[in-house]
Amino acid sequence: SQAVHLVTDRPKLRDWFSPRLLGLHAFALAAIGFCLFMATWQLGVYDQRQVAETPKEPGGSAVAIEEVWGPGEVFTTDHDQQLVSVTGRFRPADEQFWVTNTKPDGTEGVWLVAPVTVEGAELMVVRGWLAEPVSPMPTVPEGETTFDAVLQPGTESGSGWNQTTRTIGSLRIPTLLNELGYEQLWSGYAITTDKQIAAPTELAEVPQNEVSWTTGGRNLGYGLQWWVFAAFAAFMWWRIAREMVFGDDR
């Protein structure tokens, strides 16, 4: 008889949809729906930030650097990876220097960087790549020279300038301004795509800049929080509804 009593008292489907539970169900569905909507919206904003901050791939026809950027202007994401035509005069060969560099495949080497006077200020131009520095410095083109290059932002940190070997660990523009003694430097640098300018070095590979996953990280965090809120709301819905259905006979 005890077994029969347990089977008889088992809640039926209609018990879960009794009038006293309908309000709870409606509120829970609205709360979960709102949480899911907010989670989707915040993650969508995060994706938009990622796309907006991703540097464009270099391509198309080169435009004169003066049309898109100036020596007194801050380097922005609009300039990053821009293919430009540079017209200027190379500084003397002995003013060139080497920047330690590692290719994407892990091969270690150096960039040959030449200061080029453009619009009255010095633009740092990566002429090419070598496995190791050579002496004397490679010769530079004479007179006014025009060549294509891809714009790059200066690195955020860097040190290790060695005046004797003219080597440095990175292309941080403020550091170079202090060490090289020029009156003004462009706030970014350029990597030439012209083999004649690169000779006798190899053409340097243009870095494929990728936006950090932390860009828009606040929106990502909010999105994940809303998913947690949705899961918590679903859990509380189930728990409260179960208690109301079973009462104190659980």
Side-chain angles (χ1 to χ4, degrees), residues 56 68-69 73-81 152-153 187:
K56 57 184 177 297
V68 295
W69 189 28
E73 298 176 0
V74 175
F75 192 98
T76 68
T77 54
D78 291 334
H79 303 127
D80 199 353
Q81 300 285 11
Q152 296 285 300
S187 58

Side-chain angles (χ1 to χ4, degrees), residues 182-197:
Y182 298 124
E183 291 185 4
Q184 185 179 16
L185 298 182
W186 289 65
S187 58
Y189 67 96
I191 300 178
T192 184
T193 57
D194 190 321
K195 291 184 177 180
Q196 292 183 340
I197 299 298

Side-chain angles (χ1 to χ4, degrees), residues 7 11 35 45 83 92 94 108 116 125 129 136 140-141 150 162 170 192 194:
V7 172
C35 291
V45 174
L83 181 62
D94 59 5
E108 296 184 357
V116 180
V125 176
W129 183 92
V140 297
V150 178
N162 187 315
S170 66
T192 184
D194 190 321

Side-chain angles (χ1 to χ4, degrees), residues 7-239:
V7 172
T8 303
D9 290 346
R10 181 179 300 169
K12 298 179 181 179
L13 180 61
R14 66 173 177 270
D15 295 329
W16 293 93
F17 293 96
S18 61
R20 63 175 184 157
L21 285 175
L22 292 180
L24 173 64
H25 295 333
F27 177 79
L29 289 173
I32 294 173
F34 177 76
C35 291
L36 294 179
F37 169 78
M38 292 299 295
T40 303
W41 177 66
Q42 288 288 356
L43 293 177
V45 174
Y46 171 73
D47 289 337
Q48 292 174 2
R49 286 287 306 278
Q50 289 279 303
V51 172
E53 296 294 330
T54 301
K56 57 184 177 297
E57 295 294 328
S61 302
V63 297
I65 189 172
E66 298 87 352
E67 295 181 8
V68 295
W69 189 28
E73 298 176 0
V74 175
F75 192 98
T76 68
T77 54
D78 291 334
H79 303 127
D80 199 353
Q81 300 285 11
Q82 174 73 52
L83 181 62
V84 296
S85 174
V86 179
T87 299
R89 293 179 178 271
F90 282 78
R91 302 282 300 187
D94 59 5
E95 294 185 20
Q96 297 178 107
F97 57 94
W98 306 97
V99 177
T100 55
N101 175 266
T102 302
K103 288 185 175 182
D105 62 4
T107 304
E108 296 184 357
V110 291
W111 274 349
L112 173 62
V113 180
V116 180
T117 304
V118 182
E119 295 289 300
E122 270 55 57
L123 173 68
M124 299 296 109
V125 176
V126 177
R127 293 182 59 189
W129 183 92
L130 284 178
E132 59 184 15
V134 297
S135 183
M137 287 286 187
T139 59
V140 297
E142 296 183 358
E144 190 171 78
T145 306
T146 299
F147 56 90
D148 288 348
V150 178
L151 298 180
Q152 296 285 300
T155 53
E156 295 182 356
S157 61
S159 59
W161 172 257
N162 187 315
Q163 179 62 34
T164 303
T165 59
R166 294 193 67 78
T167 58
I168 194 170
S170 66
L171 275 168
R172 182 173 184 271
I173 303 303
T175 299
L176 293 174
L177 183 61
N178 292 332
E179 297 293 349
L180 300 179
Y182 298 124
E183 291 185 4
Q184 185 179 16
L185 298 182
W186 289 65
S187 58
Y189 67 96
I191 300 178
T192 184
T193 57
D194 190 321
K195 291 184 177 180
Q196 292 183 340
I197 299 298
T201 65
E202 303 176 17
L203 279 175
E205 296 184 21
V206 177
Q208 298 301 310
N209 297 329
E210 297 182 356
V211 64
S212 172
W213 68 270
T214 58
T215 299
R218 179 176 297 180
N219 299 106
L220 176 62
Y222 289 158
L224 297 178
Q225 283 183 345
W226 281 111
W227 279 106
V228 173
F229 294 157
F232 179 74
F235 169 75
M236 293 303 298
W237 177 21
W238 164 254
R239 181 172 179 176

